[in-house]
Amino acid sequence: MNTNPDSGAGRRVRVVIVDDHTIFRSGLKADLDERMDVVGEAGTVEQAIAVIAESRPEVVLLDVHLPGGLGGGGREVIAGSSALLGTTSFLALSVSDAAEDVVSVIRAGARGYVTKTISGKEISDAVIRVADGDAVFSPRLAGFVLDAFGTAPADIADDELDKLSARELEVMRLIARGYSYKEVAKELFISIKTVETHVSAVLRKLQLSSRHELTKWAAERRLL
Amino acid sequence: MTTAVQRPALVRSSDRMIAGVCSGLADHLGWPVKFIRLGMILACFAGGAGVAFYAWLWTMVPTADESAKRNARRPASPIAPAVSLPPTAATPARASTAYDAGLSPAVRGVPAASGASAPGGQASGSTHGAGSASGFGATSADDWWGGSALASWFSFRKIQYGKEILLGAALLLVAAILIARQFGVDVPLGTLIPAAAILGGAAIAWMQLDETRRAGLVDKTKADQAGGWVRLAAGLALVVAGVLVMVSGSGSWEQTWLALLASVAVLGGVALVLLPWGLKFWKDLETERAGRVRETERAEIAAHLHDSVLQTLALIQRRAGSEQDVVRLARAQERELRAWLFSDAARESGLLADRIKSVAAEVEDSHGHAVEVVTVGDTQMTDRHDALVQAAREAMFNAARHGGGTVSVYLESTAGSTEVFIKDRGPGFDLDAVPDDRLGVKESIIGRMKRHGGSAVITSSSDGTEVRLTLPSATVDAGDQRNNDVRNGEAKQ
């Protein structure tokens, strides 16, 4: 993963970790590098909403599956913190990898999704990227997007939400192939910032698309 | 009391003229079916005894299918009359207890059964008159489990056939009476028939109560249940009619009708009173059944976790020194668990994506490097796709062997073509520098893809190596794709 010089040396990102496994929380805390401060932790939906409202972090590392609340897990935490969505970004963490879970938490407002097996360096980079307002796509999420939106590009003039542009498709495809943002940028002769713009655009489409097939598709595709 | 000759179970056979009673009987007795049928027809002229007997067997003897269903839940009984009960447990001890607990009133008359030693003693202690209530009232669980403990010393064999023999005796008696009448002997039918109706009806009803109750505990197929209620109603109707005829002293029809109306009204009132109680009983059954299902499920999960996760954790502890082994074990276990949790039985297996994933698993197991597979679209396997999988396998092995860290595999299958990308983050290599005699890359990957009309492109730099395998669809119908995507070329390859 690329380092992000924009984040500045002096700036520290305030992070809240939400996961019901204490061991995982402490491991993740140790994994995050010196660029971020963990200002809060929570293990249930109710706790998470309270801690987030109180500490107002820039980034919430959010487990998709959480006990408590109405059973909605991470989705419910985002919904419960919707007033803060402007200042707080959510990065979904999951072991499940099930399309339904991932897509639902993204559509609820998360800025990205990574698997829990991710390395400490990668998770730190992902947190910084989310804090900068960009989206974080794992190869698998990119695969979901390609599967859900189809691999046919939209017409150039078409700015509809249900299709990806040719360029967005290229970016998604490269991410699915395991390319980092930097490698994507190099491959397509564009800047990293442009890659991030494309990814954010895809994220927006993923969140806003009214395409009912998207939900249906995710529900059908439980396996992964 | 009986000889222990092993006979085929008495079931209604599928080789049938009417209901398969005769051929079933023939099988059971080992007599030619012709004689049985002839005998049955002859008996029909003996005052309709044959008809009654046939109807009786038709109602009470299960079909071969039903019997098989029952026997699947417990060891085969030498005789499988409908009145025998399908108990939950498959142990003979419990089966015999169930027999006992479910004793029909007829059998209660047999001395061996009415002894105080019988686990069902509390049930048999109840009078016939209260029988219908006690049939329900004798709690299932108590004499069930208590009985299973007692079963070891309870000599059940003595009355094993008691019910059937009593039944047979009763039928013979009926036949004798009917034949005697044929010969002009005066039999007080006016008294006998109502009395017989009462006895018979009560017997049917009581048997039915027991059966219904237990069937409900084990599993209630709707048909069984409906049949049970019909028989119960028939039994009740018989009793009521018999009592009425007896009481009214074979009076006029008008009188009988009135009495019938009154008794139905009374019965309705009783039913109304008992209904909430019955419903509660029903709910208890449901709860118990749901609990049992949950228990079974839990046991299955526990068994699976024990066989897989716990074993793996034990292995990991023993190999704690070797990081690679630990990672490999953990990954393999994760894969297995995921497949078990999320596998979709409805999904067709043997498609390309599954093959690629299984190959990736193989590579992961042998080299201990994580192989992340992302698939978009899927297609049926063909010989050409087999070649693609083989080439991908080779590329994955190379990536795991020479590259470092995670290997990324991406499969995209559209109507036009299928592409597989294998990317590693190793130091890279110079393709031109690879000697021609190295089969790995040149033959197994590039050559193989070319032979099957595809292509392989390898790009390598210091950041890593990527192998791109492309296989165009041979014909339009080669893939069952979800849409007719037109592949857009990538900006640079």
Side-chain angles (χ1 to χ4, degrees):
Chain A
M1 287 278 175
N2 64 314
T3 53
N4 199 325
D6 295 351
S7 56
R11 185 170 150 235
R12 291 169 75 84
V13 178
R14 292 154 50 77
V15 176
V16 164
I17 298 176
V18 180
D19 193 298
D20 54 325
H21 294 103
T22 326
I23 297 176
F24 183 79
R25 283 209 302 264
S26 56
L28 188 59
K29 211 167 152 182
D31 268 351
L32 293 174
D33 60 26
E34 71 288 342
R35 288 173 291 173
M36 45 215 78
D37 286 325
V38 177
V39 296
E41 290 180 38
T44 64
V45 171
E46 291 88 354
Q47 269 179 33
I49 294 173
V51 167
I52 292 165
E54 189 196 330
S55 57
R56 304 201 165 231
E58 285 162 83
V59 177
V60 178
L61 285 166
L62 182 64
D63 190 7
V64 173
H65 293 280
L66 276 179
L70 304 170
R75 204 157 26 91
E76 207 178 323
V77 175
I78 300 178
S81 313
S82 54
L84 300 172
L85 269 182
T87 54
T88 300
S89 303
F90 292 85
L91 177 59
L93 282 171
S94 171
V95 286
S96 107
D97 275 6
E100 198 177 354
D101 296 334
V102 175
V103 169
S104 71
V105 79
I106 292 282
R107 280 177 77 94
R111 295 292 300 168
Y113 152 81
V114 289
T115 45
K116 280 188 175 177
T117 48
I118 192 170
S119 74
K121 173 86 175 73
E122 285 171 322
I123 189 80
S124 301
D125 287 344
V127 168
I128 296 294
R129 185 168 292 129
V130 167
D132 288 344
D134 294 319
V136 172
F137 272 38
S138 70
R140 188 148 280 157
L141 179 53
F144 288 160
V145 169
L146 288 170
D147 221 351
F149 280 91
T151 42
D155 294 336
I156 297 164
D158 216 357
D159 189 29
E160 64 167 323
L161 290 167
D162 294 351
K163 293 259 187 187
L164 303 183
S165 74
R167 206 54 160 173
E168 286 161 1
L169 275 176
E170 279 167 21
V171 172
M172 279 300 117
R173 213 175 256 129
L174 285 171
I175 291 174
R177 278 157 64 179
Y179 282 58
S180 66
Y181 283 18
K182 192 172 74 179
E183 285 166 329
V184 173
K186 198 173 146 207
E187 183 78 18
L188 298 179
F189 300 108
I190 53 180
S191 73
I192 291 180
K193 208 66 218 164
T194 315
V195 174
E196 284 166 349
T197 311
H198 285 309
V199 174
S200 295
V202 173
L203 184 80
R204 192 179 124 259
K205 289 185 181 181
L206 189 57
Q207 286 172 344
L208 299 181
S209 170
S210 57
R211 192 185 161 90
H212 73 281
E213 289 96 338
L214 197 64
T215 324
K216 190 168 148 260
W217 166 88
E220 276 168 2
R221 205 186 151 92
R222 295 198 308 277
L223 180 75
L224 224 295
Chain B
M1 206 160 171
T2 52
T3 55
V5 180
Q6 281 295 329
R7 294 181 188 283
L10 179 55
V11 292
R12 285 193 278 125
S13 141
S14 56
D15 165 32
R16 56 168 67 173
M17 297 284 273
I18 302 173
V21 167
C22 286
S23 51
L25 207 58
D27 280 348
H28 178 61
L29 297 174
W31 296 348
V33 67
K34 260 185 286 178
F35 292 169
I36 302 275
R37 284 193 173 128
L38 197 66
M40 196 68 86
I41 290 165
L42 283 179
C44 288
F45 293 108
V51 176
F53 184 50
Y54 194 95
W56 177 265
L57 286 180
W58 188 350
T59 325
M60 301 309 280
V61 173
T63 63
D65 280 354
E66 288 166 355
S67 168
K69 236 188 283 169
R70 273 170 202 198
N71 287 340
R73 299 194 296 260
R74 62 137 196 226
S77 145
I79 293 184
V83 289
S84 75
L85 314 155
T88 5
T91 61
R94 285 196 204 139
S96 64
T97 328
Y99 258 98
D100 178 63
L103 285 179
S104 67
V107 180
R108 287 187 188 139
V110 177
S114 59
S117 64
Q122 78 191 93
S124 56
S126 61
T127 64
H128 285 191
S132 103
S134 76
F136 266 122
T139 57
S140 56
D142 288 356
D143 53 359
W144 201 296
W145 298 108
S148 92
L150 295 171
S152 52
W153 54 271
F154 174 57
S155 165
F156 176 74
R157 283 198 64 82
K158 279 183 192 165
I159 55 145
Q160 200 166 18
Y161 299 113
K163 205 160 21 186
E164 286 76 26
I165 282 171
L166 209 74
L167 215 67
L171 285 172
L172 278 178
L173 192 68
V174 171
I177 291 168
L178 287 172
I179 287 168
R181 260 179 72 88
Q182 295 279 310
F183 289 105
V185 181
D186 184 31
V187 183
L189 273 186
T191 322
L192 269 182
I193 289 178
I198 293 170
L199 279 179
I204 296 175
W206 286 332
M207 286 172 188
Q208 211 46 59
L209 278 177
D210 277 337
E211 187 182 3
T212 314
R213 202 180 76 202
R214 275 182 227 292
L217 280 176
V218 180
D219 73 336
K220 345 178 259 303
T221 54
K222 289 274 189 279
D224 272 6
Q225 208 64 19
W229 287 113
V230 166
R231 275 176 266 176
L232 177 61
L236 281 175
L238 260 179
V239 175
V240 170
V243 169
L244 281 175
V245 171
M246 221 173 200
V247 169
S248 63
S250 64
S252 67
W253 273 112
E254 231 167 273
Q255 229 177 333
T256 313
W257 271 120
L258 275 175
L260 194 65
L261 205 64
S263 52
V264 165
V266 169
L267 279 178
V270 170
L272 204 64
V273 170
L274 292 184
L275 200 62
W277 184 72
L279 281 178
K280 185 187 167 298
F281 179 73
W282 184 258
K283 260 190 202 137
D284 287 352
L285 284 190
E286 291 285 312
T287 318
E288 187 179 335
R289 210 164 70 92
R292 203 193 307 275
V293 168
R294 265 200 305 278
E295 192 56 38
T296 314
E297 230 162 52
R298 215 192 67 81
E300 195 189 311
I301 291 171
H304 182 268
L305 290 185
H306 178 265
D307 289 348
S308 59
V309 178
L310 288 184
Q311 302 286 358
T312 306
L313 286 177
L315 267 178
I316 284 178
Q317 284 171 34
R318 286 173 51 189
R319 303 268 185 83
S322 161
E323 191 189 348
Q324 198 171 355
D325 277 352
V326 170
V327 169
R328 181 164 35 207
L329 283 168
R331 286 287 298 184
Q333 182 54 56
E334 181 189 346
R335 241 188 359 253
E336 191 271 341
L337 201 57
R338 233 179 247 294
W340 186 67
L341 285 175
F342 299 119
S343 67
D344 192 347
R347 234 172 69 102
E348 199 178 344
S349 64
L351 295 178
L352 181 60
D354 284 341
R355 289 289 303 276
I356 292 280
K357 277 176 197 160
S358 68
V359 167
E362 187 192 335
V363 174
E364 218 170 69
D365 283 345
S366 56
H367 284 86
H369 282 298
V371 180
E372 294 281 356
V373 183
V374 174
T375 63
V376 173
D378 206 346
T379 183
Q380 295 285 347
M381 290 295 293
T382 63
D383 285 351
R384 298 171 70 237
H385 287 109
D386 248 344
L388 179 70
V389 171
Q390 289 305 317
R393 178 172 179 274
E394 192 63 33
M396 283 184 224
F397 266 115
N398 280 336
R401 206 177 295 139
H402 305 300
T406 304
V407 177
S408 303
V409 177
Y410 174 61
L411 162 74
E412 183 175 317
S413 184
T414 60
S417 70
T418 302
E419 284 180 297
V420 182
F421 299 84
I422 299 101
K423 183 175 168 60
D424 66 59
R425 296 173 180 285
F429 67 99
D430 184 3
L431 186 60
D432 295 331
V434 175
D436 285 346
D437 58 343
R438 286 287 299 277
L439 284 180
V441 172
K442 295 222 156 132
E443 181 50 30
S444 306
I445 301 178
I446 301 175
R448 183 179 267 141
M449 290 308 293
K450 276 196 182 130
R451 275 201 301 282
H452 289 87
S455 63
V457 178
I458 299 174
T459 47
S460 189
S461 72
S462 57
D463 288 341
T465 305
E466 187 176 42
V467 179
R468 172 188 184 157
L469 309 171
T470 311
L471 190 70
S473 301
T475 51
V476 179
D477 65 323
D480 56 336
Q481 287 310 307
R482 52 204 159 71
N483 47 26
N484 281 330
D485 291 346
V486 183
R487 296 279 297 116
N488 63 313
E490 302 211 3
K492 174 223 158 204
Q493 276 303 330

